[in-house]
Amino acid sequence: MAEQDDELRAMATHRGLKLVKSRRRKAGGDFGLYGLKDAGGAEVFGFGADGLTADAEAIRGFLRGGMRSDWSTSVETTPGPKRAAKPKPAPKPKPVPPPKPRFKPEVSNLLRDLPEAKEDEAFDDLLKRPGVRIERIVSRGQATPEDAPMVQDWDEWVVLLEGAAGIRVEDSAEVRLGPGDHLLIQAGQKHWVTWTARDRPSVWLAVHLDG
């Protein structure tokens, strides 16, 4: 439930809105439902006479543009001030065609065609050079056993591209990672992936630095 709330809250913030969740535990009440407010505190979506009305799927649909509130419609349809017509620019000269390319770059996407990784994490080496190795790791609910920490003889820089996870480095508390979060694990440091999201893949990019 906390992961769902975090996901909805992040989506709302991306749209410039604030997620509101009911915590009232009353029979027939709105416990577990949500609403959205704008930056000024005005109610935008999911509010009714008896409290909040929207479930998680309705909030997702609204934020993804599948639903429109009266508020958004009024903003779109309110006419703005008339502006004086701009003079037509002079025609631009025809651009010189670029030279014909000599080769076509091979483009791949780290977030497409992901392995299921339901039983074990999936590891894919993307690049190997002397002193450096880059790999993609896909997790789905896996965690490091407490009695079997990971440790290596080289530095490792890791970034979480998608999903959610927790990680703990020796002599530290657990930290929660979301998309874009990264950290450096130094050579010889014991570390544990304490949890990974079970409802979606967590995609890591790890850079191993030897030397």
Side-chain angles (χ1 to χ4, degrees):
M1 202 66 178
E3 291 181 10
Q4 175 176 274
D5 292 350
D6 290 344
E7 175 195 1
L8 296 177
R9 191 172 291 107
M11 292 176 66
T13 300
H14 182 70
R15 297 280 184 171
L17 302 174
K18 179 181 179 182
L19 181 73
V20 179
K21 180 181 178 181
S22 174
R23 300 182 184 278
R24 295 186 300 168
R25 295 179 178 270
K26 287 174 46 178
D30 58 358
F31 177 74
L33 298 180
Y34 303 87
L36 294 169
K37 290 185 177 181
D38 64 14
E43 297 174 354
V44 174
F45 178 74
F47 291 87
D50 297 325
L52 301 179
T53 62
D55 59 14
E57 287 303 315
I59 291 293
R60 286 194 189 95
F62 180 85
L63 292 173
R64 290 171 178 164
M67 303 168 64
R68 294 186 178 274
S69 66
D70 293 339
W71 173 79
S72 63
T73 304
S74 66
V75 171
E76 292 172 2
T77 56
T78 301
K82 293 184 178 180
R83 298 182 180 179
K86 294 182 179 180
K88 292 184 179 180
K92 296 181 180 180
K94 292 184 179 181
V96 178
K100 188 176 181 180
R102 296 182 179 181
F103 70 98
K104 182 179 180 180
E106 183 177 348
V107 178
S108 301
N109 191 301
L110 293 171
L111 303 179
R112 290 180 184 167
D113 302 323
L114 296 176
E116 290 188 359
K118 290 184 177 180
E119 299 296 331
D120 299 304
E121 289 182 304
F123 299 85
D124 293 300
D125 283 339
L126 305 177
L127 179 67
K128 286 185 178 181
R129 293 290 186 273
V132 63
R133 178 170 62 89
I134 302 175
E135 68 176 343
R136 182 186 70 179
I137 306 170
V138 180
S139 310
R140 197 178 185 114
Q142 291 86 5
T144 307
E146 180 65 26
D147 60 350
M150 295 180 288
V151 61
Q152 61 254 353
D153 298 329
W154 56 85
D155 292 343
E156 178 184 2
W157 179 84
V158 61
V159 57
L160 188 65
L161 303 177
E162 188 172 83
I167 193 166
R168 179 168 62 87
V169 180
E170 186 176 17
D171 297 327
S172 76
E174 177 193 277
V175 292
R176 178 187 176 91
L177 301 179
D181 291 334
H182 60 87
L183 74 158
L184 177 66
I185 302 169
Q186 298 182 358
Q189 278 188 319
K190 295 179 181 179
H191 55 283
W192 297 258
V193 174
T194 52
W195 59 271
T196 55
R198 295 180 178 275
D199 60 341
R200 60 193 187 280
S202 295
V203 183
W204 311 75
L205 184 68
V207 180
H208 302 273
L209 305 168
D210 187 7

